[in-house]
Each structure stands twice: as C-alpha cells, then as structure tokens.
Amino acid sequence: MRKYMLMILVGWMVCAGGAGAVDLGDVAIHGFISQGYLQSDKYNYLSVRTDEGSFETNEMGLNFTSQLTDDLRVGAQLFAMDIGEYGNDEITVDWAYGDYRLHNMLGFRAGKFKIAHGLYNETRDIDAVRTYVFLPRAIYDPSTRDTFAGMKGVNLYGELPLGFSYHASYGMVPPDKKGKISKDLAEYAEYEVRDSIGVAVRNVVIAQTTAAYIAAGFPPAQAAAMAETAASITAAEYVGNTSIVTGIEDMRSKNGKNFALRWSPPFLNGLRLSTTYFGSEVELDLNLNVDQPALPGRADPPAQTIPVKIKLDEVSSWVYSLEYTFSNLVLFGEYDRIKVDTRDAPTIDIEGWSAGASYRFSYWFELGGYYSDYCTDIDDRGGEKLKKRGEPAAVRWLRDACLSARFDVNDYWLFKLEGHVMRGLDEVDWKVSTPAGETPDEGWYLFAAKVTYNF
Amino acid sequence: MKKIWWILLVMVFYSQMGARMVSAEVIAIGNQSVPVASLSLSEVQDIFLGKTVKWQDGSKINFAVLKGDIHAEFLKAFIKRTDSQFTAYWKQMLFTGKGGLPKNFETEKEMVQYVSETPGAIGYINKTTAPEKTKVISVN
C-alpha cells in the first residue's frame, strides 16, 4: 500500500511536471510529499541520528474529495510520515468524513477529523502552508503528531455573528501503542504511579511464590506466610528497585472532547484570537519486568513479566493563541498547558509558550523566526525529580530559538532552510555522546532542510 | 519597548484604514439570482474564505477567482490578504478536508460567463470590463 501511494505521488510529480490537481469527474485528488534532512552538532534529536545527519524525516499525503450535493461533501486523506522511530511510513487514514453543512452557523461531520489544538495543529502535516520546517515544539511536539492529529466521532462547527467561529467534537483518539504518547504515559506510570504499581506487583509475586512453595510440598498456610516474608519489602521500594516497562500491551481512550472558539474581530482586520481544549481518558496495559524475590534454597531467581493496568483520569490541554497579519508580516503567540490527572499520583503539569514572526519579501522568499519554551513538569522546573532518577535536570526543558528561510520555486515546489539554537535536553538522546558520569551540555544546534511538492 | 508599541499601533491604524478603502479598480459581480445588491467588506471576506457558504435565502454560494493582477488587486482591496496568504489558506482547507480549492479562471471573459450562467455565483472583474448578464454588487 505504501509502495502504491509513493508511486502515485512520484508518478504525478514526474508526468504532470508541476500541474495542478487531478479531477476524475466529481472526485478531486490532491497530494503532497516532503523530504527533510536534519543535522545537529552533538546529540540525536527525536530519535533521529541527527549527529551524523539524517534523511529520516518525511511525510506524504493523498486525498480524495467529492461534493455529492450542495450541502454534502465526503472525502478522505491517506497519510504516512517518518521521524526517527515514530510513524515509520505506515499509511494511516489522516481524516475521512462526511460533512453536511446545514447553515452558515451549523455544519455536522462524522468520521475521523483533525483535532483543533492551537492555531496550527490541524495543518501541521502540510509543510506547504507554513514558514517553518518545525512548528514551535512548545505547542506542537513533532513526535506526538501521529497520535494527536485526529479523532474519530462527531463534530459540530460553524460561523457565528461578530467574527466568531466554533468547532466542537466528541469521540475517541485512536490509540497508538507504538506512538510517543503511549511511551510517555508508560514512563510516567512507571515513575509517578509507582506505589500503586508496587502493590499490584507485590500481590502477583506473593500469589506466584505461594504457588511455588505449595508445589514444593509446603502446606498452603505456611507457603503463604513464607511468600509474604519473601516479599516483605515495601511496594514502593520493590518496584523502585526492580521494575522496567518492557512492553505496552494495549492502550485505550474514551470520552475524547475537543473544542475551539476562534474570533476574528470585524473592527480589527488581520487579528485572530483562539482558545482550544482537548481532553481524553486513557487506559494503558503495561508489562513490567520484575525480579522475583529470592526463595529459600533457590538462588538467582528468574525475572518475570507482570501485567499492570494504569488508568489516567484525564489527559487535557488548553491552548490560547493570537495571530496578527499585517500585509506580508505575520505575528503570533501561543500558550499551552497540558495536564495528566490520575487518582494515584500528583498531576503532571506541562507548560509551553512560543512567539514569532514571519515576513514574505517576494513571491519566492519568506523569512521567519520564533522562540519556544517547553517545560515537561512545572512543579519541577529545576529538574530536581530527574536528578534523583540520575538524569540531567535539563531533560526537563527545551528552549528553542529558530530562524527559517522559505523559498517557493513555483506554486507546487518549495524548499526551506532552518537553524535552531537549543537549550535543554527534552527528546534529546544525550546518553550516546556523553561519557559516563559527566553532565551533558544543555546547549546545542540543529539544522533542518526540507523540500516539498504539492498538487 | 515604547517604540515597539508605537510601531504596532501605527501598523494597526494603517491596516484598519486599508480595510475601509474598497478598490477603485475591481468590482464584484453576481448572478442575477443572487438575493443581495450590496455586501459589507467582511461579508465578502467570509464568502471568499469559505466561511459563509449560503446566501440569506439558503441557496448555495458559488464563488470564483481570477489569476493575475486583477486577482492580486481584489485580494489586497477586499480580502486583505496577499496572494501567498490566500493560496496557503485554501491549501489548509484542502488538506484538512474542510473545502476544495476555489474555481479559478484565466480571463475575465470566462469569469463573466461563469457568473452569468451559474445560480448563486459571485466573482469580480476590472471595472472597465463589461459585466454582461450579471449584476454589479456594491461593497461597502
């Protein structure tokens, strides 16, 4: 399937020589394909081998739409992306829905559609519509876009008087147990819900040890007492010393809610204000690799895998945004707050903000820049919790000053060159290039280049 | 810091002055079935950005755009966007499934013909071009 999609896109690029969309009767076909190159001065970023320079970043999409009646449109977009260990060019349905527009103020969609998150999440896959290779990390984490891009369910939308518009969705975020979000949640669960995991693990170990003693010929009561003694360390210590997440068996989400209210004030042309909310309940089934407690007469017990279920009450996000367009100049600012709530552990509170500007000098040349500040836990801004785990404090944040140049060859081809001055190690593989025992330098540079074709 | 505020204030002032000046070169035309004789500037913007899709009587709006200088003039005077911004906007709509690219024509003659023959159609031409079998819609 991936091969066919690539063949269609490349075939179109070669044969059409820069022509526009395909129109097969009532069905319009459009597409895009982008190839990037990343190089950093010392670390690997987003699990890409950027220290050596890597082409392991690309995306492609192909969509089909048809206007069935004046009020009803249907369409779907196939999409594949790759960035390091995420995406891996697996073809997914990016969006696919029926759209019934009853009135200017009320439209209805059913199927899979994009999640409104800040001003640019819905269009983050489309390189051709923005100045930058990377949108600000503080709001748009590139490693989570495969899971955070769309949701299945129903959606109401419309335009209201005085320049307001709204978007309200209910449904579910299709779970991706291989994605960055599930990995982050698993890590969160291992470190932050340790007590409850400990209790679960300890109960399983006691049951298994008891069974082992009974099989060895001990009476049940004595076997249970011996097993209890063998596991007589606190749950927290137990898991703290021995657990490792070895696999994510399953991930489920439900009660997904997405809401956006946007305002373009009629009295101030060019200004756009926006607030978006996204929330979902998430459940994870993990496998923990746990060393068994030593049994009398049995040295060096084997490790065992124990299943643990983690329920997060809600993962939620609020983004507040402002954009002002004045002729060829675009200014923007966004603030994001993501919270992970559970009954068993303190809320994780993630914060990010960014601000930037871009200016188009001519048809073919645009220059832009932004600053982005991302902190993965505002209750631990200094990274003290991380230090206790033996990680550098700078893993807690990523501050990014970006300068980007965009060159439009024609309406279909464009390329970009971009530099990032980074401070912080979030999503950075610092272990590879830092000698054991040394604290890694939190300052580093990233260069990105990208070429895109769209029709 | 004060300087930055002054620059921003001047930019806002000029942008709003521009918003109230309608082009002397380009006029809006509609099919005879279009149930309005005039539109506000923000109503024109909402139509050409796909936000308003129906006329007051519930019939479908069919808008079309031209290529070239008249298009650039129309975008500057009516939509308050550059050609690049307008193209990027519609690519966003296209690749998120929210809308198809606007119908576009190479010449004003084709535009006038489309508007005159398509119920609910609205477009624009140079004011020196004859708006045959269409009606001129004033924009305030």
Side-chain angles (χ1 to χ4, degrees):
Chain A
M1 184 69 181
R2 183 188 322 174
K3 193 169 65 183
Y4 293 127
M5 187 166 150
L6 197 60
M7 278 166 59
I8 292 172
L9 284 165
V10 173
W12 183 252
M13 288 159 62
V14 173
C15 300
V22 184
D23 210 334
L24 297 176
D26 293 332
V27 180
I29 303 175
H30 295 268
F32 58 88
I33 183 165
S34 298
Q35 177 60 55
Y37 175 79
L38 302 175
Q39 172 99 50
S40 62
D41 66 330
K42 54 179 84 144
Y43 301 123
N44 293 331
Y45 181 52
L46 296 167
S47 73
V48 180
R49 291 300 305 265
T50 52
D51 62 341
E52 295 175 350
S54 173
F55 286 98
E56 201 183 357
T57 171
N58 61 266
E59 60 234 354
M60 56 190 111
L62 194 61
N63 76 43
F64 310 84
T65 54
S66 182
Q67 187 81 37
L68 297 183
T69 69
D70 280 357
D71 299 323
L72 181 63
R73 292 179 80 249
V74 292
Q77 179 159 286
L78 301 175
F79 178 71
M81 59 155 274
D82 184 27
I83 184 157
E85 64 187 59
Y86 307 113
N88 293 320
D89 286 332
E90 284 178 20
I91 292 181
T92 58
V93 176
D94 195 25
W95 49 263
Y97 57 79
D99 182 344
Y100 185 72
R101 189 74 181 261
L102 196 64
H103 188 273
N104 290 327
M105 286 199 275
L106 181 63
F108 174 80
R109 296 182 184 121
K112 185 180 180 186
F113 35 80
K114 307 296 281 183
I115 291 174
H117 172 81
L119 287 171
Y120 311 117
N121 185 62
E122 291 164 273
T123 57
R124 72 197 292 183
D125 298 329
I126 313 151
D127 185 64
V129 302
R130 62 170 182 267
T131 313
Y132 313 100
V133 174
F134 286 111
L135 282 167
R137 171 68 196 279
I139 318 292
Y140 309 99
D141 183 346
S143 59
T144 62
R145 75 181 195 189
D146 52 343
T147 46
F148 203 55
M151 67 188 287
K152 291 179 181 174
V154 290
N155 168 250
L156 297 177
Y157 71 97
E159 301 293 323
L160 301 173
L162 302 173
F164 286 96
S165 65
Y166 70 95
H167 161 114
S169 307
Y170 183 78
M172 66 168 296
V173 179
D176 177 6
K177 64 181 184 180
K178 291 188 230 161
K180 164 75 166 36
I181 287 179
S182 52
K183 283 179 184 167
D184 278 357
L185 288 175
E187 185 184 302
Y188 163 76
E190 189 183 7
Y191 285 108
E192 303 295 341
V193 200
R194 187 166 290 181
D195 285 354
S196 58
I197 291 177
V199 171
V201 168
R202 187 168 181 273
N203 289 339
V204 171
V205 169
I206 287 173
Q208 291 181 345
T209 312
T210 302
Y213 280 130
I214 290 170
F218 289 93
Q222 193 184 347
M226 288 169 70
E228 185 78 34
T229 306
S232 63
I233 49 178
T234 67
E237 283 172 349
Y238 186 59
V239 172
N241 290 331
T242 60
S243 75
I244 299 170
V245 174
T246 55
I248 299 163
E249 273 297 298
D250 198 11
M251 180 183 182
R252 294 172 295 281
S253 75
K254 61 178 181 178
N255 288 332
K257 295 152 290 218
N258 183 216
F259 182 75
L261 183 65
R262 295 192 166 118
W263 187 36
S264 301
F267 55 84
L268 193 54
N269 209 63
L271 181 65
R272 197 155 62 118
L273 302 169
S274 159
T275 179
T276 59
Y277 167 80
F278 171 77
S280 178
E281 290 175 29
V282 179
E283 244 179 32
L284 275 175
D285 291 341
L286 306 178
N287 282 329
L288 296 185
N289 193 24
V290 178
D291 292 334
Q292 287 191 52
L295 304 180
R298 188 176 145 195
D300 197 18
Q304 61 178 309
T305 300
I306 293 185
V308 175
K309 186 175 285 187
I310 300 298
K311 184 172 184 225
L312 306 175
D313 283 353
E314 186 164 79
V315 179
S316 63
S317 152
W318 281 97
V319 185
Y320 307 95
S321 315
L322 177 153
E323 183 190 76
Y324 184 62
T325 304
F326 174 73
S327 187
N328 287 307
L329 177 68
V330 179
L331 306 170
F332 74 89
E334 295 198 283
Y335 176 81
D336 184 13
R337 198 77 176 265
I338 299 172
K339 289 189 178 184
V340 182
D341 290 312
T342 92
R343 296 186 192 114
D344 305 313
T347 296
I348 290 283
D349 208 339
I350 300 165
E351 183 186 62
W353 68 269
S354 68
S358 63
Y359 189 84
R360 183 166 281 270
F361 291 88
S362 67
Y363 169 82
W364 62 271
F365 180 56
E366 184 172 300
L367 198 62
Y370 63 73
Y371 181 76
S372 159
D373 190 335
Y374 186 56
C375 173
T376 59
D377 186 353
I378 61 170
D379 295 324
D380 184 39
R381 284 188 191 277
E384 295 304 320
K385 282 187 198 171
L386 294 172
K387 280 189 200 168
K388 282 181 193 165
R389 283 187 215 167
E391 291 184 60
V395 172
R396 182 60 77 211
W397 58 82
L398 188 67
R399 292 162 193 141
D400 176 4
C402 162
L403 184 67
S404 185
R406 168 180 166 147
F407 305 88
D408 287 79
V409 179
N410 55 36
D411 286 350
Y412 310 104
W413 284 99
L414 63 107
F415 70 94
K416 299 175 182 178
L417 303 172
E418 186 167 289
H420 295 259
V421 180
M422 304 283 207
R423 289 196 73 79
L425 300 174
D426 178 49
E427 276 298 320
V428 171
D429 188 359
W430 52 273
K431 288 175 188 163
V432 174
S433 43
T434 306
E438 284 188 22
T439 304
D441 182 1
E442 69 169 292
W444 56 285
Y445 300 95
L446 176 72
F447 167 75
K450 198 172 191 179
V451 60
T452 292
Y453 172 79
N454 70 99
F455 65 92
Chain B
M1 192 65 189
K2 254 185 181 176
K3 266 185 187 172
I4 293 171
W5 282 114
W6 273 112
I7 290 167
L8 285 173
L9 207 62
V10 169
M11 281 166 54
V12 169
F13 176 75
Y14 273 102
S15 69
Q16 299 319 299
M17 286 293 289
R20 276 149 189 78
M21 288 190 293
V22 176
S23 171
E25 303 300 320
V26 180
I27 55 169
I29 55 171
N31 182 271
Q32 297 291 353
S33 67
V34 169
V36 295
S38 66
L39 290 167
S40 70
L41 201 61
S42 65
E43 285 172 328
V44 174
Q45 289 173 2
D46 286 349
I47 288 171
F48 281 85
L49 294 177
K51 294 177 178 178
T52 300
V53 295
K54 295 189 176 190
W55 295 110
Q56 294 149 351
D57 62 0
S59 60
K60 191 189 176 202
I61 296 175
N62 292 297
F63 72 94
V65 298
L66 282 168
K67 290 178 178 170
D69 293 343
I70 298 172
H71 179 55
E73 172 71 20
F74 170 77
L75 292 178
K76 188 178 169 189
F78 289 77
I79 311 300
K80 307 301 172 192
R81 290 181 186 239
T82 63
D83 197 359
S84 305
Q85 289 162 354
F86 185 75
T87 303
Y89 176 86
W90 277 105
K91 280 184 180 172
Q92 289 175 27
M93 298 289 275
L94 174 70
F95 289 115
T96 53
K98 292 181 177 177
L101 292 179
K103 186 170 275 298
N104 67 77
F105 296 105
E106 297 279 348
T107 67
E108 292 176 88
K109 190 180 172 188
E110 289 172 321
M111 171 71 96
V112 171
Q113 187 179 353
Y114 171 77
V115 172
S116 67
E117 292 174 355
T118 310
I122 181 171
Y124 53 85
I125 51 175
N126 193 309
K127 70 173 186 179
T128 57
T129 305
E132 291 168 3
K133 296 178 188 170
T134 66
K135 67 180 187 184
V136 175
I137 297 173
S138 67
V139 179
N140 311 305

